[in-house]
Amino acid sequence: MEKPNSEVTESDLVTDKPQLDIIDCKHLCNISQLWISSEGYEASFGSTFKTGKCASNVMLWRFTKVNNLKVCKVGLQKAASKYSTLVTMSASATVVDHVVLFKVKPETPADKTQAMLDGLRGLSVLDGVLQLTVAPALNLWPAQTSWAAGFTHALHGRYKDKASLDAYTISSAHVSVVENNVKPIIDGLLAVDWEASPSPPVEEDFGVLRIALLKLKEGLTEEDVTGILGTFNSYPSTFPSVVQVSAGPNFSPVRAQGFNYGYLAQFKSVKELEELTANPDHVALMESKVNPHVESFILVDALK
C-alpha cells in the first residue's frame, strides 16, 4: 500500500456516504478500508459503509483482517488536511495474555489489599503493556475444590509480545510492588500465560472479565485441542453479549499448578455475563465441545 499524499480532500474520506448509527468497534472485521482517529472511524465493507466512535488510536492493533488502513487526526464530520500516520497490519495481531490469581489472607486489612490493587494497576504505564486489569473475584468456580478454593483476586495483563512480558516481570517497578505489596498479604498464587490473536477487536470500555484456566486431559489429539479453541473463538459471533475472547496454551508452567490452557472473555457489564451464563446454547456447547476434554478447571469472574 502506498503512502497517501499529505493533502487529503473530503472525497478521500468518503464523507458523502450515508452515516449510520454508532456501532460497536467489535463489529469491525473483514474490512477492506478503515480510516480511524481519536474521534471515530470510517470503514468500508465492500459496498457497505459504516461509521462510529472509538476510544483512541491505541485500538489500531486490534483490528483484524484489514487490507487497507489509514490513520488520520480528523473526526467523522470534517475533511482531513493531513494524515498523521500510515499503518499496515497483518491478517491477525498476536499478543500475550497474562493471568494471575491471588489468595489474599483473610485477616489482611482493607488498606493493605487496596495498596496491592493500586500498586499492580500502576504498572499499566510500563512499556509493552497494552491492557491491565486487577480486581476482586466476583465469582469463583468450583469454589470448594482443593485447586480453586481461596482465590480472591485476579489480574489480567495484555502485552505486545513475550519480550514485553519478560521486561514487565523483571522491571524494578513490578519487583517492588510484588515484594512490598503482594507477597506480604497472600497465601499463594497461580499464573498462566498464552499467546493469542484476540477475536474480534476489543473496546476499551469493557466492564467484566471471565477467566478460565484449564487442565486438559492427557491423550487428546491435535484435532480435539483445535476444536476446543475453535469453540472459544466462535463465541463473539455466536453470542452477542461477548465482546471479545482469547485462548491458547500456557507457556509458563512453573506457577501454573498443572493448568495448561487459558481462556478469557470480555463483557460490557455483569448483565451480559449473566445472559451468557444462563444461555442454554452456551451450556450445551460447553457440555458437548469442551467439558469432555477437561480434567479440571478454575473459572473466575472479575469486574474491571
Side-chain angles (χ1 to χ4, degrees):
M1 174 179 167
E2 296 181 358
K3 185 174 182 179
N5 296 329
S6 60
E7 294 299 324
V8 182
T9 66
E10 190 166 340
S11 62
D12 289 319
L13 287 178
V14 206
T15 51
D16 59 317
K17 299 286 186 179
Q19 181 168 335
L20 306 181
D21 292 336
I22 294 173
I23 60 172
D24 292 340
C25 290
K26 67 182 180 181
H27 296 301
L28 289 177
C29 56
N30 298 316
I31 301 171
S32 57
Q33 295 190 74
L34 170 65
W35 291 266
I36 184 169
S37 74
S38 60
E39 298 175 61
Y41 64 80
E42 295 181 308
S44 59
F45 304 69
S47 60
T48 303
F49 188 83
K50 293 187 178 181
T51 63
K53 298 287 187 181
C54 60
S56 71
N57 287 343
V58 174
M59 297 179 63
L60 292 175
W61 66 271
R62 297 190 180 94
F63 290 95
T64 59
K65 298 182 180 178
V66 178
N67 299 320
N68 188 355
L69 172 61
K70 300 174 183 178
V71 187
C72 58
K73 294 180 178 179
V74 300
L76 295 174
Q77 303 302 320
K78 298 181 293 184
S81 60
K82 291 182 183 293
Y83 281 107
S84 60
T85 311
L86 178 67
V87 179
T88 58
M89 299 178 65
S90 62
S92 184
T94 300
V95 297
V96 169
D97 282 320
H98 169 65
V99 165
V100 184
L101 304 183
F102 303 95
K103 294 182 179 182
V104 174
K105 299 173 184 176
E107 67 273 16
T108 302
D111 62 330
K112 296 291 186 182
T113 301
Q114 190 60 50
M116 179 188 78
L117 297 176
D118 292 342
L120 291 170
R121 288 167 180 160
L123 301 175
S124 63
V125 301
L126 296 180
D127 289 343
V129 181
L130 302 173
Q131 213 172 58
L132 188 65
T133 300
V134 194
L138 182 65
N139 296 300
L140 174 69
W141 295 278
Q144 304 307 315
T145 60
S146 59
W147 60 85
F151 289 113
T152 59
H153 294 74
L155 176 149
H156 166 243
R158 178 163 287 168
Y159 307 84
K160 291 171 58 178
D161 46 36
K162 288 183 178 181
S164 297
L165 175 59
D166 290 342
Y168 162 90
T169 302
I170 65 174
S171 69
S172 59
H174 178 263
V175 172
S176 176
V177 170
V178 170
E179 294 297 327
N180 297 317
N181 302 114
V182 178
K183 285 185 177 180
I185 68 170
I186 65 169
D187 270 334
L189 60 79
L190 187 159
V192 170
D193 305 314
W194 67 92
E195 287 185 297
S197 300
S199 176
V202 66
E203 291 185 338
E204 294 294 331
D205 62 347
F206 72 92
V208 185
L209 280 174
R210 167 159 287 181
I211 298 168
L213 305 182
L214 311 175
K215 184 183 295 184
L216 299 187
K217 293 178 179 178
E218 294 184 4
L220 295 184
T221 66
E222 183 177 346
E223 183 178 358
D224 292 331
V225 174
T226 300
I228 293 170
L229 297 180
T231 298
F232 287 145
N233 288 326
S234 71
Y235 263 55
S237 59
T238 306
F239 303 101
S241 62
V242 181
V243 174
Q244 186 199 43
V245 297
S246 166
N250 175 44
F251 62 78
S252 302
V254 175
R255 298 182 299 169
Q257 299 180 27
F259 290 92
N260 50 16
Y261 277 79
Y263 161 81
L264 67 88
Q266 296 173 331
F267 302 81
K268 284 284 191 180
S269 69
V270 174
K271 177 177 177 290
E272 281 80 9
L273 172 63
E274 291 176 343
E275 287 176 356
L276 177 72
T277 303
N279 189 317
D281 292 335
H282 156 68
V283 175
L285 202 55
M286 288 293 100
E287 291 294 337
S288 62
K289 300 294 185 181
V290 178
N291 293 354
H293 305 302
V294 175
E295 179 180 322
S296 57
F297 72 94
I298 299 175
L299 193 149
V300 179
D301 296 332
L303 292 172
K304 183 178 179 182

